[in-house]
Amino acid sequence: MIKAKVLTNNKSTRTELAKQFLQRVEALDIKASIKGNWVVFQPALPVEMLFEVPLISNEIFELVSASEINANE
């Protein structure tokens, strides 16, 4: 966890961590979508993954938003 905190000081690193996180989410067959100002995961994330979210939450939101916009075009 300390290593992840140090890495998240860099915006591009946080974006890369968010991409990797979303790939792991997809591999578990969990869908991420935007509901208002929230990213919703269906079914719910495993507990151990929840601890990673606060460090990269903005980047996760941006990536999921962009993915939904691209899917609707």
Side-chain angles (χ1 to χ4, degrees), residues 13-33:
T13 303
R14 287 192 317 255
T15 300
E16 196 55 43
L17 288 171
K19 286 178 184 177
Q20 292 170 8
F21 178 84
L22 289 172
Q23 288 172 345
R24 291 187 359 244
V25 166
E26 275 186 23
L28 294 171
D29 204 27
I30 298 173
K31 305 296 180 220
S33 62

Side-chain angles (χ1 to χ4, degrees), residues 5 10 13-14 18 30 37 39 43 51 59:
K5 238 180 209 178
N10 180 332
T13 303
R14 287 192 317 255
I30 298 173
N37 291 329
V39 177
F51 294 109
E59 290 74 17

Side-chain angles (χ1 to χ4, degrees), residues 36-53:
N37 291 329
W38 297 90
V39 177
V40 177
F41 295 98
Q42 289 293 328
L45 291 174
V47 173
E48 60 274 5
M49 292 181 81
L50 291 175
F51 294 109
E52 297 176 52
V53 173

